[in-house]
Every structure is written in structure tokens, then in C-alpha cells.
């Protein structure tokens, strides 16, 4: 599947979902059912679960084998951008056997979107770590409303060219 996606130049979108019951109970259980559900999905769990799959694709060597594989990861990269330096420090190429660092592979092959997490400090961090060309605008409808999404993008403290890149140019280039 990954080889075919790379051949077709079609991105793989990794979207979160509820963790397996065997994971949910020990990691997120022990609270009232509503809190357990929220913690294990949109509050924390599904972001971690989706992020670890991207990391696993990288450390498995799949991204080295399929250099044209493109991955889309929502919710600001499902926590991964915030740990790239840590992973590089603790799992360098000498340990992973990869041809690039984890962060370089991520910067080469992953695009991220806010997925409705319209938080300017998160945006500024991700832009600094990944570059404006790796950010594509997204919302998380129907989980979050569209209210304020356009306003957030329009009022980001960046140039019009960067806003256009996020709003449509990056997605247009990625999705053709």
C-alpha cells in the first residue's frame, strides 16, 4: 500500500480513532465513563495513538524505503513535532539504522494541519520546526464548529503569502 501511494504521489492521511480497549482501560480508564471516553479519544488518547503510528512508519524504515511517500497528520502533527528533537537525541541514525534523523524524515515527508486546534502559539511552534510549506489548513468539523476558523487564519501574525500557502497553496501542491 505504501509503495503504491508513493508511486501514485498520493498522500496517506493518518487520522486518529479510539484506542483499542486493551489500551484504553489501563491508560485512560478508572474515571467516570464520560471522562474515560473523552480522555481516551479527543482529549488526549487518539492524538497519541495517531502520532505513534507516524513515528512507527519513520522508525520502521518505511519512509526511507518510500522516499516519495507523503503523510498528512492532523492536530498539529498529533504531538510528534513537539518531540522531534527528543527523538533525534535519544534515537539517532546510529540506533535506528535510518539514513536520516527522525526529524529530517518528518520534515521531508509529513504535512500537518491544525484540525480545528486554532491556537496561535502551537502554530508558531510548528511553523518554526517544520516550515510554512508543511502546514495545510484544516478544521475538525463536525467535532468542532467552523466558527472563528477563517478569522484565526486571517489574523495570524504572518505575511499574506504565508497565509495563502496555508489556506490553499500547500494543499494544492500536495494534493495536485
Amino acid at each position: 500500500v505504501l509503495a503504491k501511494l508513493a508511486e501514485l504521489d498520493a498522500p496517506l492521511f493518518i487520522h486518529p480513532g479510539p484506542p483499542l480497549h486493551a489500551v484504553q482501560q489501563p491508560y485512560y480508564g478508572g474515571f467516570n465513563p464520560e471522562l474515560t471516553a473523552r480522555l481516551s479519544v479527543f482529549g488526549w488518547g487518539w492524538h497519541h495513538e495517531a502520532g505513534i503510528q507516524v513515528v512507527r512508519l519513520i522508525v520502521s524504515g518505511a519512509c526511507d524505503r518510500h522516499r516519495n511517500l507523503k503523510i498528512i497528520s492532523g492536530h498539529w502533527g498529533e504531538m510528534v513535532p513537539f518531540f522531534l528533537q527528543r527523538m533525534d537525541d535519544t534515537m539517532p541514525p546510529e540506533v535506528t539504522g535510518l539514513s536520516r534523523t527522525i526529524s529530517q524524515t518528518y520534515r521531508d515527508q509529513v504535512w500537518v494541519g491544525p484540525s480545528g486546534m486554532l491556537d496561535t502559539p502551537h502554530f508558531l511552534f510548528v511553523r518554526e520546526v517544520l516550515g510554512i510549506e508543511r502546514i495545510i489548513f484544516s478544521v475538525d468539523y463536525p467535532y468542532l464548529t467552523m466558527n472563528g476558523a477563517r478569522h484565526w487564519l486571517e489574523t495570524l501574525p504572518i505575511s499574506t503569502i504565508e497565509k495563502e500557502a496555508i489556506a490553499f497553496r500547500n494543499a494544492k501542491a500536495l494534493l495536485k
Side-chain angles (χ1 to χ4, degrees):
V1 170
L2 299 177
K4 185 53 89 172
L5 286 169
E7 176 189 327
L8 294 172
D9 200 23
L12 170 65
F13 178 43
I14 298 181
H15 192 274
L20 297 171
H21 185 74
V23 171
Q24 183 195 38
Q25 289 312 299
Y27 286 8
Y28 310 108
F31 305 106
N32 71 61
E34 179 72 11
L35 181 55
T36 292
R38 288 172 179 255
L39 179 62
S40 68
V41 290
F42 50 80
W44 181 266
W46 73 9
H47 305 293
H48 178 264
E49 300 298 320
I52 194 64
Q53 298 312 316
V54 174
V55 172
R56 288 180 62 85
L57 280 170
I58 294 170
V59 299
S60 74
C63 292
D64 265 1
R65 288 188 302 278
H66 307 289
R67 291 291 183 112
N68 198 41
L69 178 64
K70 295 170 176 67
I71 300 167
I72 300 172
S73 181
H75 308 100
W76 294 124
E78 310 293 3
M79 304 180 194
V80 176
F82 302 93
F83 282 83
L84 288 172
Q85 185 61 51
R86 175 74 169 174
M87 288 188 284
D88 283 353
D89 289 344
T90 60
M91 296 180 284
E94 301 82 48
V95 172
T96 64
L98 301 173
S99 64
R100 300 169 284 171
T101 62
I102 292 169
S103 63
Q104 189 60 56
T105 303
Y106 196 90
R107 284 186 198 96
D108 290 345
Q109 293 181 252
V110 179
W111 283 254
V112 304
S115 303
M117 293 175 57
L118 307 176
D119 184 66
T120 302
H122 283 99
F123 161 76
L124 294 171
F125 177 83
V126 170
R127 180 183 70 162
E128 180 71 23
V129 171
L130 301 181
I132 203 78
E133 66 280 355
R134 290 294 190 222
I135 301 172
I136 54 178
F137 187 70
S138 63
V139 294
D140 208 8
Y141 181 83
Y143 302 105
L144 297 173
T145 69
M146 299 279 290
N147 294 342
R150 181 174 178 162
H151 175 75
W152 177 81
L153 180 60
E154 289 174 342
T155 59
L156 279 175
I158 58 175
S159 71
T160 300
I161 291 170
E162 288 179 306
K163 288 175 187 176
E164 289 176 356
I166 295 167
F168 68 93
R169 291 189 201 286
N170 294 342
K172 184 178 178 182
L174 175 62
L175 302 172
K176 308 215 181 341

